[in-house]
Amino acid sequence: QTNYCVCVCLALGTGARRLHVSAAFSAKAKVAMSRFEPGSSINYEKMHENINIVRRRLNRPLTLSEKIVYGHLDDPAGQEIDRGRTYLRLRPDRVAMQDATAQMAMLQFISSGLPKVAVPSTIHCDHLIEAQIGGVQDLQKAKEVNQEVYNFLATAAAKYGVGFWKPGSGIIHQIILENYAYPGVMLIGTDSHTPNGGGLGAICIGVGGADAVDVMAGIPWELKCPKVIGVRLTGTLSGWTSPKDVILKVAGILTVKGGTGAIVEYHGPGVDSISCTGMATICNMGAEIGATTSVFPYNHRMRTYMEKTGRGEIASVADQFKDDLVPDKDCEYDQVIEINLSELKPHINGPFTPDLAHPVSEIGAIAKKSGWPLEVKVGLIGSCTNSSYEDMGRAASLAKQALDKGLKCKAQFTVTPGSEQIRATIERDGYAKILSDVGGIVLANACGPCIGQWDRRDVKKGEKNTIVTSFNRNFTARNDANPATHAFVTSPEIVTALALAGTLNFNPETDYLTAPNGEKFKLEPPTGEELPSRDFDPGQDTYQHPPAENSAVKVDVSPSSNRLQLLEPFDKWHGKDLEDMRILIKVKGKCTTDHISAAGPWLKFRGHLDNISNNLLIGAVNIENDAVNKVKNQLTGEYGGVPDVARHYKASGVNWVVVGDENYGEGSSREHAALEPRHLGGRAIIVKSFARIHETNLKKQGLLPLTFANPNDYDKIRPDDKISITGLKSFAPGKPLTAMIKHSDGSQESISLNHTFNETQIEWFKAGSALNRMKELQ
């Protein structure tokens, strides 16, 4: 047996980042990752033992998803395991938080009274930087505008033992892929695109801040045992087809809710034709089909990526346990989708929903028929989904062809590097210059326009227009706050081609561009290196390590701040049925977390619950009048904004409910969409179906997420009804509740409401919130 310790230093500017890897092979194979924080570790041997315990119990082959998830069970010998039914108690290895959600997560952790996080955790500043002029200027302005928030996060991180990535570091998911993800790790992140880490064979799951607090507090984390959807890949990617087209195709098949409650597991011989960062792209956008997460099996592509990012020693130990990092032969999936990569064509999805899939060759004709604007106003590449070195290289190869012919982009063109490392490397290797020369503006290493942080000025609000992006989401008004913007998501290569052509009516596989001298030419298929031959340039050092001694660190929240607000506990359940509640709004159609708690300019209030609550449901469509942010106050008879009416009900001592449609709360992990209704007096959300993260977030904050036993009962409820929810005194898992509906004409009817609460979650409701319950148990 061999015991050794390897220390790898990656020089970054004036600082140094250290990765300590200690391992004892055979009987004590263990990888201890203390990258930036002491105590960060995954024990492959422990995971192996857990897998074997579960395998003996279930007596069947296991999928890769099951191996990693069950390998992190708190009690593998006693845990009831039934895919799609039971709740698992898990021990994730680490937590990651982006700055917009970290504010509320850290405020909740402070409220818990605990002195330090129990698992390695990091905060990443990426959401609060608005795209206006260019990377350097926008970053400097963000530091000035958000100084109070950045200071709070930096000091809270130092106080409670959390690593802090400063603004300019890059997007959380790219940083995780470059530094923290590795095969077999289980990581939870307070962002819905955390599954990006599945490109490195990790189980990375998006959660709300309250879930993150549980894990940081050392409490086992609950997750409904996921089903497993297998996507079998055959053939080989080539030409214009990219990894993005795999998930665009899958989204078209499964729709925005087809992955709910399931992990999507890619497998088959086609996997090896996809780069590690390409696999991350596919996993990232799995959030758009509602999947719990997505994952790829460990292979040589992942090994090479880890070696290039300073984690070769971890790869070596992963090699020893490769059987635990791939699916068992003959394992069973709940559903199987087959995709031949050799036959897959470039896709573009949209507008207004990421599951409306079209082949690029057909989008021009479809747009004409549908009345969508053909002119492409802006092409945007980058984001957490598509900002790898390979992505930038392939886009630059097309830009270079155009420049060689004297042609620049007809549309505006923006480039968002995913991290400081990517920015520095594409600048060193000339990609950034090529993309700038063709007309591109290189933005800050941040989320930017992808999440609505875009000071767009080329069109007026309400003006119908088309943009194409390599982002992941394209809900109404998401990118630029303009509900008339038709946003389409596709690969960086197709975005670049359409920006050059200036129109959706262009198929780069068959159509020609015209150079300034009149020469017609066709773009050759894009090419690009998977990884830089000269290694990555890490760029500037942007990481703050938590100090060994934190007693002198002060975390201040000013009572007069309009950006930050300490939290007050929510009230406990009064022990009775909830009677005669008003309907705040009956929502018509799609209602994402963007509709419930908009991002963009509202991001600045993510640390101040009362102020952020002024955006509650202002994007949701009221079925009564097809209007947004216009509901009838049943106490006064007057119409007002949704938050205003909610505040009036609360001040009058009137509880209220929201009624919604299918897949309510799809999209972001933002728990503000659950905190706000609770803060403003809401008690229940009654819908046809929920998105996974939002349903959990509602439970965490003491609300009742309920679904119609008969979806047609949605039609029975009128906006001026009163609703009573009965059966709460005998509230129990699997036992439906009853809603008594009182109509304004004096008639009444009752309907059955289902729920997915388990015993622990019912205690959250009774205590008023999960955080209240945590304090009760201390």
Side-chain angles (χ1 to χ4, degrees):
Q1 297 183 8
T2 304
N3 288 275
Y4 63 88
C5 179
V6 181
C7 178
V8 181
C9 293
L10 301 178
L12 281 190
T14 57
R17 301 177 182 170
R18 291 183 177 270
L19 163 60
H20 298 279
V21 181
S22 61
F25 290 104
S26 296
K28 290 184 178 287
K30 178 180 180 181
V31 176
M33 285 185 65
S34 57
R35 192 163 206 176
F36 317 131
E37 314 94 355
S40 172
S41 66
I42 179 171
N43 190 327
Y44 276 114
E45 184 188 53
K46 178 64 175 174
M47 191 170 86
H48 181 73
E49 291 173 359
N50 286 0
I51 291 169
N52 284 339
I53 291 170
V54 173
R55 196 197 309 278
R56 287 193 296 269
R57 289 181 56 203
L58 299 182
N59 193 30
R60 62 170 173 80
L62 300 176
T63 66
L64 169 61
S65 309
E66 291 180 305
K67 288 181 180 182
I68 302 176
V69 172
Y70 303 162
H72 286 80
L73 284 170
D74 184 52
D75 178 15
Q79 172 71 61
E80 185 182 6
I81 299 171
D82 185 5
R83 292 199 317 219
R85 186 182 69 83
T86 59
Y87 281 88
L88 306 178
R89 289 167 62 82
L90 301 164
R91 291 285 185 178
D93 298 298
R94 62 182 309 122
V95 174
M97 300 167 278
Q98 42 94 336
D99 50 356
T101 50
Q103 295 171 63
M104 200 57 69
M106 292 308 294
L107 285 166
Q108 290 178 87
F109 187 82
I110 292 169
S111 297
S112 75
L114 296 170
K116 192 175 182 180
V117 296
V119 301
S121 305
T122 50
I123 293 171
H124 304 259
C125 294
D126 61 1
H127 270 57
L128 302 180
I129 302 168
E130 186 178 50
Q132 292 181 318
I133 303 167
V136 175
Q137 303 96 316
D138 294 346
L139 176 59
Q140 182 56 41
K141 182 175 180 182
K143 288 179 178 178
E144 296 168 1
V145 171
N146 302 307
Q147 181 180 5
E148 180 186 12
V149 171
Y150 290 148
N151 180 64
F152 166 73
L153 292 174
T155 54
K159 183 71 173 178
Y160 297 102
V162 176
F164 180 69
W165 290 83
K166 302 172 187 176
S169 302
I171 305 172
I172 178 174
H173 311 303
Q174 184 69 30
I175 298 294
I176 290 171
L177 198 72
E178 292 172 354
N179 296 276
Y180 300 122
Y182 54 93
V185 73
M186 174 175 274
L187 178 150
I188 66 165
T190 60
D191 189 280
S192 58
H193 293 107
T194 301
N196 189 79
L200 254 180
I203 289 293
C204 299
I205 301 175
V207 300
D211 275 345
V213 172
D214 279 355
V215 177
M216 290 191 292
I219 298 172
W221 174 60
E222 284 197 341
L223 176 73
K224 180 173 273 192
C225 189
K227 294 184 177 182
V228 187
I229 297 173
V231 179
R232 187 171 187 272
L233 303 178
T234 58
T236 305
L237 285 178
S238 62
W240 282 90
T241 306
S242 75
K244 186 69 164 282
D245 296 306
V246 176
I247 185 58
L248 294 174
K249 179 71 173 179
V250 170
I253 295 169
L254 287 177
T255 77
V256 291
K257 64 175 185 175
T260 303
I263 294 177
V264 179
E265 183 172 312
Y266 294 85
H267 62 283
V271 167
D272 284 343
S273 75
I274 305 173
S275 66
C276 176
T277 52
M279 290 187 267
T281 291
I282 294 167
C283 293
N284 177 294
M285 199 176 158
E288 271 49 76
I289 56 174
T292 300
T293 191
S294 301
V295 69
F296 277 83
Y298 179 52
N299 67 1
H300 71 281
R301 300 274 197 163
M302 297 181 190
R303 187 184 219 290
T304 301
Y305 183 79
M306 285 196 288
E307 289 170 346
K308 278 286 188 180
T309 52
R311 293 169 289 171
E313 289 75 19
I314 297 170
S316 295
V317 183
D319 286 342
Q320 309 299 313
F321 288 85
K322 185 171 182 180
D323 287 348
D324 291 338
L325 304 172
V326 296
D328 286 340
K329 185 181 179 182
D330 299 325
C331 65
E332 292 187 4
Y333 297 100
D334 295 284
Q335 177 183 353
V336 176
I337 296 169
E338 302 256 359
I339 296 178
N340 186 334
L341 300 178
S342 299
E343 298 174 356
L344 183 63
K345 290 294 185 181
H347 273 63
I348 183 169
N349 289 21
F352 305 121
T353 185
D355 59 351
L356 187 58
H358 321 279
V360 171
S361 59
E362 299 174 14
I363 188 61
I366 295 170
K368 286 181 183 177
K369 183 178 178 181
S370 304
W372 302 333
L374 283 174
E375 181 190 1
V376 174
K377 288 283 190 181
V378 191
L380 305 98
I381 66 169
S383 85
C384 66
T385 317
N386 275 115
S387 60
S388 68
Y389 185 81
E390 181 182 38
D391 288 330
M392 296 300 174
R394 284 170 65 88
S397 74
L398 298 173
K400 181 69 165 57
Q401 293 179 54
L403 287 170
D404 289 345
K405 298 291 185 179
L407 185 66
K408 293 189 176 185
C409 290
K410 289 186 178 178
Q412 292 183 44
F413 189 49
T414 70
V415 180
T416 304
S419 69
E420 170 62 8
Q421 180 166 274
I422 292 295
R423 182 210 61 77
T425 306
I426 66 170
E427 190 171 291
R428 180 198 68 191
D429 292 352
Y431 292 167
K433 185 177 189 307
I434 293 170
L435 294 169
S436 295
D437 288 348
V438 84
I441 298 173
V442 179
L443 301 174
N445 313 323
C447 302
C450 184
I451 61 161
Q453 284 284 41
W454 183 17
D455 184 19
R456 188 180 180 193
R457 299 185 178 183
D458 62 299
V459 296
K460 295 179 180 178
K461 190 170 183 177
E463 182 180 339
K464 201 173 176 181
N465 74 100
T466 286
I467 64 173
V468 291
T469 82
S470 69
F471 304 161
N472 41 44
R473 232 166 243 164
N474 58 349
F475 301 141
T476 302
R478 175 176 174 84
N479 301 121
D480 62 359
N482 181 4
T485 293
H486 293 54
F488 295 83
V489 291
T490 185
S491 68
E493 300 94 316
I494 296 298
V495 172
T496 304
L498 296 182
L500 288 167
T503 177
L504 284 178
N505 194 26
F506 179 74
N507 177 9
E509 292 187 292
T510 58
D511 295 345
Y512 288 79
L513 294 170
T514 304
N517 65 1
E519 176 190 355
K520 293 191 178 296
F521 69 99
K522 194 164 75 167
L523 292 168
E524 294 296 323
T527 59
E529 292 183 352
E530 179 178 344
L531 295 164
S533 57
R534 298 164 54 194
D535 290 337
F536 284 105
D537 180 343
Q540 300 177 37
D541 187 2
T542 53
Y543 178 76
Q544 171 187 294
H545 184 72
E549 172 54 49
N550 62 4
S551 60
V553 178
K554 302 292 184 185
V555 183
D556 293 323
V557 176
S558 170
S560 62
S561 172
N562 72 344
R563 298 287 303 269
L564 299 165
Q565 180 187 46
L566 293 175
L567 297 174
E568 295 292 332
F570 290 130
D571 60 310
K572 294 184 178 182
W573 174 54
H574 52 41
K576 306 173 185 176
D577 289 336
L578 299 172
E579 297 183 346
D580 290 339
M581 295 183 290
R582 289 292 184 178
I583 295 167
L584 178 64
I585 181 172
K586 183 179 178 182
V587 178
K588 177 182 177 181
K590 184 186 282 282
C591 190
T592 72
T593 48
D594 279 359
H595 296 87
I596 303 167
S597 177
W602 291 94
L603 284 167
K604 61 178 172 286
F605 296 126
R606 284 282 181 88
H608 196 295
L609 179 55
D610 194 57
N611 284 345
I612 192 73
S613 295
N614 288 323
N615 76 359
L616 175 64
L617 287 159
I618 61 175
V621 177
N622 181 5
I623 198 168
E624 181 186 11
N625 51 18
D626 280 338
V628 295
N629 202 29
K630 185 178 180 182
V631 296
K632 188 174 183 179
N633 185 326
Q634 300 298 334
L635 301 183
T636 66
E638 299 176 351
Y639 282 85
V642 180
D644 299 324
V645 174
R647 287 185 185 278
H648 188 262
Y649 287 164
K650 181 181 180 181
S652 303
V654 175
N655 292 328
W656 51 262
V657 304
V658 170
V659 176
D661 212 314
E662 295 279 6
N663 207 31
Y664 184 91
E666 72 171 277
S668 166
S669 70
R670 66 191 69 152
E671 66 180 340
H672 300 77
L675 282 160
E676 292 175 33
R678 183 73 165 97
H679 176 63
L680 294 186
R683 291 295 175 180
I685 311 294
I686 307 169
V687 301
K688 294 180 182 178
S689 65
F690 283 102
R692 174 190 65 86
I693 300 177
H694 186 60
E695 182 182 21
T696 301
N697 286 345
L698 291 168
K699 292 177 183 178
K700 287 278 186 178
Q701 302 307 335
L703 283 149
L704 290 171
L706 306 170
T707 55
F708 295 105
N710 179 357
N712 293 328
D713 286 344
Y714 169 89
D715 298 321
K716 293 180 179 179
I717 297 178
R718 307 165 192 169
D720 59 352
D721 287 342
K722 292 181 180 179
I723 290 184
S724 297
I725 295 176
T726 63
L728 289 173
K729 291 182 180 180
S730 57
F731 194 10
K735 183 180 179 181
L737 297 170
T738 298
M740 180 62 66
I741 306 169
K742 295 180 182 178
H743 300 304
S744 58
D745 61 9
S747 62
Q748 297 186 20
E749 54 188 317
S750 66
I751 61 174
S752 181
L753 299 176
N754 294 332
H755 65 84
T756 60
F757 280 82
N758 61 22
E759 292 284 4
T760 300
Q761 294 166 348
I762 290 171
E763 293 301 318
W764 300 345
F765 168 73
K766 291 178 178 179
S769 71
L771 187 59
N772 287 359
R773 181 59 178 161
M774 183 195 300
K775 286 183 170 181
E776 288 178 354
L777 296 173
Q778 284 179 9

